[in-house]
Amino acid sequence: MRHRFSFTAFSIIFFVFVFAHQSVLCKTLKRDVKALNEIKASLGWRVVYSWVGDDPCGDGHLPPWSGVTCSTQGDYRVVTELEVYAVSIVGSFPVAVTNLLDLTRLDLHNNKLTGPIPPQIGRLRRLKILNLRWNKLQDVIPPEIGALKSLTHLYLGFNNFKGEIPKELANLRELRYLHLNENRLSGRIPAELSTLPNLRHLDVGNNHLVGTIRELIRIEGCFPSLRNLYINNNYFTGGVPSQLANLTNLEILYLSYNKMSGIIPPGVAHISKLTYLYLDHNQFSGRIPDAFYKHPFLKEMYIEGNAFRQGVKPIGIHKVLEVSDAEFLA
């Protein structure tokens, strides 16, 4: 029995040693080594002082570079995640990043990147999370992003993007969270976005967008999973259509600071999960149906800056809704 135990223990130790030895010997794909060393050599990325050595996945003597995650594929290691945020990186978007074809997560938020997102971004077909918000990126949102069919989270807010929202984003059938807020986008929201089956959160607030809600939800069965709709601080006109009640999963509806008008239809009060309703600073009129005041989950309804009848009252205390990254990136 003792000999059998010793042999088993020896076998385990041997295999662990062999596996670890093979992991060390496993080389990082030259394509990824070249791409990240190009980025490292650029002036704006010298703030990433912890990137020591030539191999971003580490070698026998040095650990992987900070913010770089690698995995083994066959005989090679490849870079699957690049997270370098809030370190004041300056300069244009690094085109070399688009050579990291196995990336599933790219997070460069809260830096000082400028210029456009290059069209080569469409090469990252395995990307699931793209977070570029809180930079100074410019020009139009490239339609090539629509080729990233695995994307579930797209954060482009708080930049200087202009032009229209590309309808190609409707090709992202796995997309759950779309943040385009705080830019200079114009035109209409493509109604095709309403066909995204998994979209939970759409934020296009603080842009220069026009159109009506009726146009946005004109496709039958639209927004089947949508929970949060932010179109505040734009130039939307028209009224709140009764068909909005068909968005049965809606929890937050943020319409503040537009040019919308008309009455609020009572059917909207029958959206069972509605929790926050912001109607303020538009041109709505009439009265608020009693059903809103009897809604079991409605915590806030903000109505100031409209032409409602005298005596119409808000619900709750208005506050700016801020949702942390942790709630989206899980």
Tab-separated table of all heavy atoms in Angstrom, residues 102-150:
chain	number	residue	atom	x	y	z
A	102	ASP	N	-7.314	37.470	-31.268
A	102	ASP	CA	-7.982	36.606	-30.295
A	102	ASP	C	-8.547	37.385	-29.109
A	102	ASP	O	-9.009	36.786	-28.133
A	102	ASP	CB	-7.008	35.532	-29.790
A	102	ASP	CG	-6.630	34.546	-30.884
A	102	ASP	OD1	-7.510	33.756	-31.282
A	102	ASP	OD2	-5.481	34.588	-31.352
A	103	LEU	N	-8.536	38.711	-29.194
A	103	LEU	CA	-9.069	39.525	-28.100
A	103	LEU	C	-10.553	39.252	-27.888
A	103	LEU	O	-11.342	39.232	-28.836
A	103	LEU	CB	-8.881	41.013	-28.393
A	103	LEU	CG	-7.560	41.686	-28.045
A	103	LEU	CD1	-7.655	43.185	-28.303
A	103	LEU	CD2	-7.155	41.438	-26.589
A	104	THR	N	-10.929	39.089	-26.628
A	104	THR	CA	-12.338	39.023	-26.261
A	104	THR	C	-12.760	40.259	-25.472
A	104	THR	O	-13.947	40.567	-25.396
A	104	THR	CB	-12.637	37.777	-25.415
A	104	THR	OG1	-11.839	37.810	-24.222
A	104	THR	CG2	-12.326	36.504	-26.195
A	105	ARG	N	-11.788	40.953	-24.880
A	105	ARG	CA	-12.072	42.170	-24.114
A	105	ARG	C	-11.015	43.223	-24.420
A	105	ARG	O	-9.819	42.950	-24.320
A	105	ARG	CB	-12.083	41.875	-22.611
A	105	ARG	CG	-12.390	43.100	-21.739
A	105	ARG	CD	-12.124	42.812	-20.256
A	105	ARG	NE	-13.026	41.817	-19.730
A	105	ARG	CZ	-14.027	42.072	-18.866
A	105	ARG	NH1	-14.225	43.304	-18.463
A	105	ARG	NH2	-14.796	41.101	-18.427
A	106	LEU	N	-11.470	44.418	-24.795
A	106	LEU	CA	-10.583	45.558	-25.012
A	106	LEU	C	-11.134	46.729	-24.209
A	106	LEU	O	-12.200	47.257	-24.513
A	106	LEU	CB	-10.505	45.914	-26.500
A	106	LEU	CG	-9.668	47.153	-26.851
A	106	LEU	CD1	-8.232	47.004	-26.367
A	106	LEU	CD2	-9.706	47.416	-28.357
A	107	ASP	N	-10.399	47.127	-23.180
A	107	ASP	CA	-10.850	48.186	-22.283
A	107	ASP	C	-9.763	49.247	-22.167
A	107	ASP	O	-8.741	49.040	-21.509
A	107	ASP	CB	-11.179	47.602	-20.906
A	107	ASP	CG	-11.854	48.614	-19.983
A	107	ASP	OD1	-11.849	49.819	-20.312
A	107	ASP	OD2	-12.372	48.204	-18.938
A	108	LEU	N	-9.975	50.376	-22.819
A	108	LEU	CA	-9.034	51.501	-22.784
A	108	LEU	C	-9.742	52.753	-22.275
A	108	LEU	O	-9.365	53.869	-22.615
A	108	LEU	CB	-8.464	51.763	-24.188
A	108	LEU	CG	-7.785	50.582	-24.885
A	108	LEU	CD1	-7.336	50.983	-26.292
A	108	LEU	CD2	-6.598	50.068	-24.084
A	109	HIS	N	-10.751	52.579	-21.442
A	109	HIS	CA	-11.556	53.726	-21.034
A	109	HIS	C	-10.806	54.659	-20.087
A	109	HIS	O	-9.844	54.274	-19.439
A	109	HIS	CB	-12.880	53.259	-20.413
A	109	HIS	CG	-12.807	52.894	-18.963
A	109	HIS	ND1	-12.507	51.633	-18.520
A	109	HIS	CD2	-13.026	53.634	-17.845
A	109	HIS	CE1	-12.539	51.603	-17.199
A	109	HIS	NE2	-12.841	52.805	-16.763
A	110	ASN	N	-11.287	55.890	-20.053
A	110	ASN	CA	-10.742	56.924	-19.164
A	110	ASN	C	-9.264	57.185	-19.420
A	110	ASN	O	-8.446	57.182	-18.509
A	110	ASN	CB	-10.980	56.551	-17.696
A	110	ASN	CG	-10.869	57.767	-16.778
A	110	ASN	OD1	-10.796	58.904	-17.241
A	110	ASN	ND2	-10.853	57.523	-15.477
A	111	ASN	N	-8.931	57.412	-20.679
A	111	ASN	CA	-7.592	57.849	-21.075
A	111	ASN	C	-7.733	59.135	-21.891
A	111	ASN	O	-8.724	59.858	-21.730
A	111	ASN	CB	-6.881	56.745	-21.865
A	111	ASN	CG	-6.378	55.623	-20.971
A	111	ASN	OD1	-5.507	55.843	-20.135
A	111	ASN	ND2	-6.921	54.420	-21.132
A	112	LYS	N	-6.772	59.424	-22.734
A	112	LYS	CA	-6.811	60.647	-23.538
A	112	LYS	C	-6.582	60.328	-25.014
A	112	LYS	O	-5.890	61.054	-25.727
A	112	LYS	CB	-5.771	61.648	-23.026
A	112	LYS	CG	-6.011	62.086	-21.578
A	112	LYS	CD	-4.929	63.031	-21.080
A	112	LYS	CE	-5.177	63.421	-19.626
A	112	LYS	NZ	-4.114	64.320	-19.097
A	113	LEU	N	-7.163	59.248	-25.464
A	113	LEU	CA	-7.031	58.846	-26.859
A	113	LEU	C	-7.801	59.808	-27.761
A	113	LEU	O	-8.915	60.237	-27.432
A	113	LEU	CB	-7.548	57.425	-27.051
A	113	LEU	CG	-6.769	56.311	-26.333
A	113	LEU	CD1	-7.479	54.987	-26.494
A	113	LEU	CD2	-5.341	56.233	-26.861
A	114	THR	N	-7.226	60.140	-28.899
A	114	THR	CA	-7.837	61.073	-29.841
A	114	THR	C	-7.959	60.429	-31.227
A	114	THR	O	-7.493	59.309	-31.446
A	114	THR	CB	-6.996	62.360	-29.948
A	114	THR	OG1	-5.653	62.011	-30.336
A	114	THR	CG2	-6.944	63.097	-28.620
A	115	GLY	N	-8.561	61.184	-32.148
A	115	GLY	CA	-8.697	60.689	-33.514
A	115	GLY	C	-9.809	59.668	-33.653
A	115	GLY	O	-10.564	59.409	-32.714
A	116	PRO	N	-9.919	59.036	-34.814
A	116	PRO	CA	-10.999	58.079	-35.069
A	116	PRO	C	-10.665	56.670	-34.588
A	116	PRO	O	-9.506	56.340	-34.329
A	116	PRO	CB	-11.117	58.099	-36.597
A	116	PRO	CG	-9.706	58.359	-37.051
A	116	PRO	CD	-9.104	59.279	-36.020
A	117	ILE	N	-11.705	55.858	-34.459
A	117	ILE	CA	-11.518	54.413	-34.323
A	117	ILE	C	-11.245	53.890	-35.730
A	117	ILE	O	-12.051	54.109	-36.636
A	117	ILE	CB	-12.763	53.730	-33.745
A	117	ILE	CG1	-13.076	54.257	-32.352
A	117	ILE	CG2	-12.571	52.212	-33.703
A	117	ILE	CD1	-14.364	53.691	-31.767
A	118	PRO	N	-10.137	53.208	-35.967
A	118	PRO	CA	-9.825	52.769	-37.334
A	118	PRO	C	-10.797	51.695	-37.807
A	118	PRO	O	-11.296	50.895	-37.007
A	118	PRO	CB	-8.402	52.221	-37.206
A	118	PRO	CG	-8.288	51.792	-35.777
A	118	PRO	CD	-9.101	52.782	-34.994
A	119	PRO	N	-11.054	51.647	-39.114
A	119	PRO	CA	-11.977	50.632	-39.637
A	119	PRO	C	-11.477	49.210	-39.413
A	119	PRO	O	-12.276	48.269	-39.415
A	119	PRO	CB	-12.062	50.968	-41.128
A	119	PRO	CG	-10.835	51.784	-41.427
A	119	PRO	CD	-10.549	52.543	-40.175
A	120	GLN	N	-10.171	49.058	-39.169
A	120	GLN	CA	-9.621	47.717	-38.908
A	120	GLN	C	-10.175	47.095	-37.636
A	120	GLN	O	-9.963	45.910	-37.380
A	120	GLN	CB	-8.093	47.785	-38.817
A	120	GLN	CG	-7.396	48.181	-40.110
A	120	GLN	CD	-7.131	49.671	-40.198
A	120	GLN	OE1	-7.947	50.470	-39.781
A	120	GLN	NE2	-5.968	50.041	-40.728
A	121	ILE	N	-10.911	47.884	-36.838
A	121	ILE	CA	-11.507	47.337	-35.619
A	121	ILE	C	-12.398	46.141	-35.950
A	121	ILE	O	-12.583	45.233	-35.136
A	121	ILE	CB	-12.334	48.429	-34.887
A	121	ILE	CG1	-12.701	47.993	-33.468
A	121	ILE	CG2	-13.572	48.809	-35.677
A	121	ILE	CD1	-11.583	48.019	-32.490
A	122	GLY	N	-12.912	46.112	-37.175
A	122	GLY	CA	-13.787	45.016	-37.586
A	122	GLY	C	-13.097	43.676	-37.693
A	122	GLY	O	-13.757	42.650	-37.888
A	123	ARG	N	-11.765	43.650	-37.542
A	123	ARG	CA	-11.029	42.382	-37.605
A	123	ARG	C	-11.158	41.588	-36.294
A	123	ARG	O	-10.889	40.381	-36.283
A	123	ARG	CB	-9.555	42.657	-37.880
A	123	ARG	CG	-9.284	43.429	-39.180
A	123	ARG	CD	-7.803	43.703	-39.339
A	123	ARG	NE	-7.057	42.454	-39.511
A	123	ARG	CZ	-5.791	42.273	-39.154
A	123	ARG	NH1	-5.131	43.259	-38.576
A	123	ARG	NH2	-5.196	41.119	-39.365
A	124	LEU	N	-11.537	42.259	-35.208
A	124	LEU	CA	-11.541	41.605	-33.891
A	124	LEU	C	-12.834	40.822	-33.700
A	124	LEU	O	-13.670	41.153	-32.851
A	124	LEU	CB	-11.347	42.653	-32.790
A	124	LEU	CG	-10.070	43.496	-32.905
A	124	LEU	CD1	-9.989	44.508	-31.762
A	124	LEU	CD2	-8.833	42.591	-32.896
A	125	ARG	N	-12.999	39.763	-34.463
A	125	ARG	CA	-14.261	39.029	-34.531
A	125	ARG	C	-14.622	38.278	-33.249
A	125	ARG	O	-15.768	37.851	-33.088
A	125	ARG	CB	-14.224	38.047	-35.708
A	125	ARG	CG	-14.005	38.704	-37.076
A	125	ARG	CD	-15.120	39.690	-37.404
A	125	ARG	NE	-14.895	40.390	-38.661
A	125	ARG	CZ	-15.340	39.977	-39.837
A	125	ARG	NH1	-15.999	38.830	-39.920
A	125	ARG	NH2	-15.109	40.678	-40.933
A	126	ARG	N	-13.654	38.112	-32.344
A	126	ARG	CA	-13.952	37.395	-31.097
A	126	ARG	C	-14.258	38.333	-29.937
A	126	ARG	O	-14.528	37.887	-28.817
A	126	ARG	CB	-12.781	36.485	-30.722
A	126	ARG	CG	-12.509	35.408	-31.767
A	126	ARG	CD	-11.436	34.438	-31.307
A	126	ARG	NE	-11.209	33.418	-32.319
A	126	ARG	CZ	-10.369	32.394	-32.167
A	126	ARG	NH1	-9.664	32.278	-31.055
A	126	ARG	NH2	-10.222	31.515	-33.138
A	127	LEU	N	-14.228	39.629	-30.206
A	127	LEU	CA	-14.407	40.621	-29.148
A	127	LEU	C	-15.817	40.561	-28.570
A	127	LEU	O	-16.800	40.544	-29.309
A	127	LEU	CB	-14.124	42.017	-29.719
A	127	LEU	CG	-13.683	43.103	-28.737
A	127	LEU	CD1	-12.388	42.717	-28.046
A	127	LEU	CD2	-13.514	44.424	-29.468
A	128	LYS	N	-15.885	40.539	-27.245
A	128	LYS	CA	-17.176	40.550	-26.546
A	128	LYS	C	-17.429	41.879	-25.840
A	128	LYS	O	-18.574	42.315	-25.746
A	128	LYS	CB	-17.229	39.406	-25.528
A	128	LYS	CG	-17.205	38.022	-26.154
A	128	LYS	CD	-17.304	36.937	-25.086
A	128	LYS	CE	-17.323	35.548	-25.719
A	128	LYS	NZ	-17.411	34.477	-24.686
A	129	ILE	N	-16.363	42.494	-25.330
A	129	ILE	CA	-16.494	43.762	-24.604
A	129	ILE	C	-15.549	44.780	-25.215
A	129	ILE	O	-14.338	44.540	-25.297
A	129	ILE	CB	-16.190	43.577	-23.105
A	129	ILE	CG1	-17.203	42.618	-22.467
A	129	ILE	CG2	-16.197	44.928	-22.386
A	129	ILE	CD1	-16.893	42.277	-21.025
A	130	LEU	N	-16.098	45.921	-25.632
A	130	LEU	CA	-15.304	47.035	-26.160
A	130	LEU	C	-15.664	48.273	-25.355
A	130	LEU	O	-16.780	48.785	-25.455
A	130	LEU	CB	-15.585	47.254	-27.646
A	130	LEU	CG	-14.864	48.435	-28.305
A	130	LEU	CD1	-13.353	48.297	-28.176
A	130	LEU	CD2	-15.270	48.563	-29.769
A	131	ASN	N	-14.719	48.741	-24.544
A	131	ASN	CA	-14.963	49.887	-23.670
A	131	ASN	C	-13.953	50.978	-23.985
A	131	ASN	O	-12.777	50.880	-23.631
A	131	ASN	CB	-14.852	49.465	-22.204
A	131	ASN	CG	-15.313	50.564	-21.252
A	131	ASN	OD1	-15.647	51.674	-21.676
A	131	ASN	ND2	-15.344	50.266	-19.967
A	132	LEU	N	-14.422	52.036	-24.652
A	132	LEU	CA	-13.560	53.158	-25.039
A	132	LEU	C	-14.094	54.483	-24.495
A	132	LEU	O	-13.655	55.547	-24.930
A	132	LEU	CB	-13.456	53.241	-26.568
A	132	LEU	CG	-12.874	52.012	-27.275
A	132	LEU	CD1	-12.927	52.197	-28.783
A	132	LEU	CD2	-11.447	51.739	-26.819
A	133	ARG	N	-15.008	54.430	-23.572
A	133	ARG	CA	-15.602	55.692	-23.120
A	133	ARG	C	-14.631	56.516	-22.283
A	133	ARG	O	-13.604	56.025	-21.840
A	133	ARG	CB	-16.902	55.435	-22.359
A	133	ARG	CG	-16.805	54.659	-21.071
A	133	ARG	CD	-18.199	54.551	-20.493
A	133	ARG	NE	-18.231	53.661	-19.329
A	133	ARG	CZ	-19.344	53.387	-18.666
A	133	ARG	NH1	-20.473	53.906	-19.061
A	133	ARG	NH2	-19.304	52.583	-17.639
A	134	TRP	N	-14.999	57.772	-22.102
A	134	TRP	CA	-14.170	58.728	-21.370
A	134	TRP	C	-12.803	58.898	-22.033
A	134	TRP	O	-11.769	58.843	-21.393
A	134	TRP	CB	-13.997	58.319	-19.904
A	134	TRP	CG	-15.213	58.496	-19.055
A	134	TRP	CD1	-16.009	57.504	-18.582
A	134	TRP	CD2	-15.780	59.718	-18.577
A	134	TRP	NE1	-17.044	58.021	-17.840
A	134	TRP	CE2	-16.917	59.400	-17.822
A	134	TRP	CE3	-15.435	61.068	-18.725
A	134	TRP	CZ2	-17.718	60.367	-17.206
A	134	TRP	CZ3	-16.232	62.025	-18.115
A	134	TRP	CH2	-17.342	61.674	-17.365
A	135	ASN	N	-12.806	59.097	-23.353
A	135	ASN	CA	-11.600	59.490	-24.087
A	135	ASN	C	-11.928	60.755	-24.869
A	135	ASN	O	-12.887	61.467	-24.544
A	135	ASN	CB	-11.142	58.353	-25.009
A	135	ASN	CG	-10.318	57.306	-24.286
A	135	ASN	OD1	-9.166	57.541	-23.961
A	135	ASN	ND2	-10.915	56.139	-24.027
A	136	LYS	N	-11.155	61.027	-25.902
A	136	LYS	CA	-11.404	62.196	-26.762
A	136	LYS	C	-11.462	61.758	-28.220
A	136	LYS	O	-11.020	62.476	-29.120
A	136	LYS	CB	-10.311	63.240	-26.546
A	136	LYS	CG	-10.246	63.777	-25.118
A	136	LYS	CD	-9.146	64.811	-24.943
A	136	LYS	CE	-9.103	65.329	-23.509
A	136	LYS	NZ	-8.032	66.356	-23.309
A	137	LEU	N	-12.003	60.579	-28.429
A	137	LEU	CA	-12.091	60.022	-29.773
A	137	LEU	C	-13.059	60.831	-30.633
A	137	LEU	O	-14.052	61.374	-30.129
A	137	LEU	CB	-12.521	58.562	-29.695
A	137	LEU	CG	-11.497	57.631	-29.018
A	137	LEU	CD1	-12.119	56.289	-28.683
A	137	LEU	CD2	-10.266	57.450	-29.903
A	138	GLN	N	-12.774	60.881	-31.932
A	138	GLN	CA	-13.505	61.783	-32.822
A	138	GLN	C	-13.978	61.059	-34.078
A	138	GLN	O	-13.825	59.848	-34.211
A	138	GLN	CB	-12.581	62.954	-33.211
A	138	GLN	CG	-12.069	63.746	-32.021
A	138	GLN	CD	-10.829	64.547	-32.365
A	138	GLN	OE1	-9.931	64.039	-33.016
A	138	GLN	NE2	-10.783	65.803	-31.925
A	139	ASP	N	-14.557	61.849	-34.973
A	139	ASP	CA	-15.029	61.382	-36.274
A	139	ASP	C	-16.268	60.505	-36.100
A	139	ASP	O	-16.912	60.518	-35.057
A	139	ASP	CB	-13.915	60.649	-37.018
A	139	ASP	CG	-14.025	60.830	-38.534
A	139	ASP	OD1	-15.116	61.187	-39.008
A	139	ASP	OD2	-13.022	60.631	-39.227
A	140	VAL	N	-16.594	59.712	-37.099
A	140	VAL	CA	-17.805	58.896	-37.044
A	140	VAL	C	-17.512	57.555	-36.372
A	140	VAL	O	-16.368	57.119	-36.296
A	140	VAL	CB	-18.366	58.659	-38.459
A	140	VAL	CG1	-18.730	59.977	-39.121
A	140	VAL	CG2	-17.369	57.880	-39.314
A	141	ILE	N	-18.571	56.928	-35.894
A	141	ILE	CA	-18.450	55.563	-35.380
A	141	ILE	C	-18.337	54.639	-36.588
A	141	ILE	O	-19.234	54.618	-37.438
A	141	ILE	CB	-19.672	55.191	-34.523
A	141	ILE	CG1	-19.742	56.090	-33.287
A	141	ILE	CG2	-19.613	53.721	-34.112
A	141	ILE	CD1	-21.012	55.917	-32.478
A	142	PRO	N	-17.253	53.895	-36.715
A	142	PRO	CA	-17.064	53.097	-37.941
A	142	PRO	C	-18.108	51.991	-38.066
A	142	PRO	O	-18.355	51.244	-37.108
A	142	PRO	CB	-15.649	52.514	-37.765
A	142	PRO	CG	-15.409	52.521	-36.290
A	142	PRO	CD	-16.146	53.720	-35.760
A	143	PRO	N	-18.721	51.865	-39.232
A	143	PRO	CA	-19.711	50.795	-39.426
A	143	PRO	C	-19.109	49.411	-39.293
A	143	PRO	O	-19.832	48.436	-39.069
A	143	PRO	CB	-20.230	51.055	-40.846
A	143	PRO	CG	-19.162	51.860	-41.519
A	143	PRO	CD	-18.554	52.695	-40.435
A	144	GLU	N	-17.786	49.317	-39.408
A	144	GLU	CA	-17.118	48.011	-39.282
A	144	GLU	C	-17.331	47.378	-37.911
A	144	GLU	O	-17.153	46.163	-37.753
A	144	GLU	CB	-15.626	48.161	-39.564
A	144	GLU	CG	-15.272	48.384	-41.022
A	144	GLU	CD	-15.441	49.827	-41.481
A	144	GLU	OE1	-15.779	50.687	-40.630
A	144	GLU	OE2	-15.229	50.100	-42.673
A	145	ILE	N	-17.709	48.179	-36.917
A	145	ILE	CA	-18.013	47.594	-35.604
A	145	ILE	C	-19.155	46.588	-35.729
A	145	ILE	O	-19.246	45.629	-34.961
A	145	ILE	CB	-18.348	48.708	-34.585
A	145	ILE	CG1	-17.073	49.474	-34.225
A	145	ILE	CG2	-18.974	48.126	-33.313
A	145	ILE	CD1	-17.276	50.586	-33.206
A	146	GLY	N	-19.984	46.778	-36.726
A	146	GLY	CA	-21.087	45.839	-36.950
A	146	GLY	C	-20.650	44.437	-37.320
A	146	GLY	O	-21.463	43.515	-37.333
A	147	ALA	N	-19.361	44.254	-37.606
A	147	ALA	CA	-18.840	42.920	-37.930
A	147	ALA	C	-18.460	42.139	-36.677
A	147	ALA	O	-18.126	40.953	-36.774
A	147	ALA	CB	-17.627	43.043	-38.851
A	148	LEU	N	-18.499	42.773	-35.515
A	148	LEU	CA	-18.073	42.117	-34.279
A	148	LEU	C	-19.248	41.336	-33.685
A	148	LEU	O	-19.835	41.720	-32.671
A	148	LEU	CB	-17.540	43.166	-33.285
A	148	LEU	CG	-16.473	44.123	-33.844
A	148	LEU	CD1	-16.028	45.109	-32.764
A	148	LEU	CD2	-15.281	43.333	-34.370
A	149	LYS	N	-19.575	40.245	-34.307
A	149	LYS	CA	-20.815	39.514	-34.019
A	149	LYS	C	-20.887	38.930	-32.612
A	149	LYS	O	-21.966	38.569	-32.150
A	149	LYS	CB	-20.993	38.387	-35.044
A	149	LYS	CG	-21.076	38.860	-36.485
A	149	LYS	CD	-22.307	39.710	-36.739
A	149	LYS	CE	-22.369	40.171	-38.190
A	149	LYS	NZ	-22.543	39.064	-39.143
A	150	SER	N	-19.744	38.833	-31.908
A	150	SER	CA	-19.750	38.289	-30.548
A	150	SER	C	-19.925	39.371	-29.483
A	150	SER	O	-20.015	39.061	-28.288
A	150	SER	CB	-18.446	37.532	-30.274
A	150	SER	OG	-18.293	36.431	-31.145
